[in-house]
Amino acid sequence: MNTPCRTALFVLFLTIFIPRADAQGPAGDPVAGKEIAVKWCASCHDVTPEQNTAQAGIPSFMAIAKLKDVTLDSLIAIQTMPHQPMLDLDLSRKVKRDIAAYILTLRGK
């Protein structure tokens, strides 16, 4: 079997047999996520709609929530990828899920 066919089969296998992160557990606790975000994220991001003290050029959680294709999984992935000046807080999977769940609650505000 040639390489393109193997690659296509591998991708198909992943999409069918590997469950998405959403399906692997609860969606997260947005109340806990807000508490964590206020404590750890608010020094750089505007975490709540009322806050207006973010560092220049750093998106607010509300702006992130309103991005067209943002999902719980993509928010967890962003927290996992190191990017400057974001601190390496070594957050647990549950904490990342909770923060992501909170951000998604801001979508309708």
Side-chain angles (χ1 to χ4, degrees):
M1 187 179 308
N2 62 29
T3 302
C5 287
R6 280 189 219 161
T7 303
L9 284 174
F10 180 70
V11 170
L12 180 63
F13 173 81
L14 289 177
T15 57
I16 293 173
F17 296 105
I18 306 291
R20 291 176 24 124
D22 294 307
Q24 292 178 358
D29 179 353
V31 173
K34 181 178 180 180
E35 291 173 8
I36 295 162
V38 166
K39 181 176 180 180
W40 292 104
C41 308
S43 61
C44 297
H45 295 273
D46 284 340
V47 169
T48 65
E50 302 80 30
Q51 185 184 348
N52 192 19
T53 58
Q55 291 183 14
I58 297 184
S60 69
F61 276 21
M62 187 172 293
I64 294 168
K66 292 183 179 185
L67 293 171
K68 180 182 175 190
D69 294 325
V70 74
T71 64
L72 185 73
D73 290 333
S74 66
L75 291 170
I76 292 168
I78 288 169
Q79 295 175 70
T80 303
M81 293 188 280
H83 54 283
Q84 295 296 327
M86 190 167 149
L87 303 172
D88 181 11
L89 299 175
D90 194 27
L91 303 173
S92 72
R93 183 162 178 77
K94 179 188 179 328
V95 168
K96 290 175 189 173
R97 220 169 183 54
D98 292 347
I99 292 170
Y102 168 64
I103 291 171
L104 291 175
T105 66
L106 298 172
R107 196 174 254 167
K109 295 186 180 193

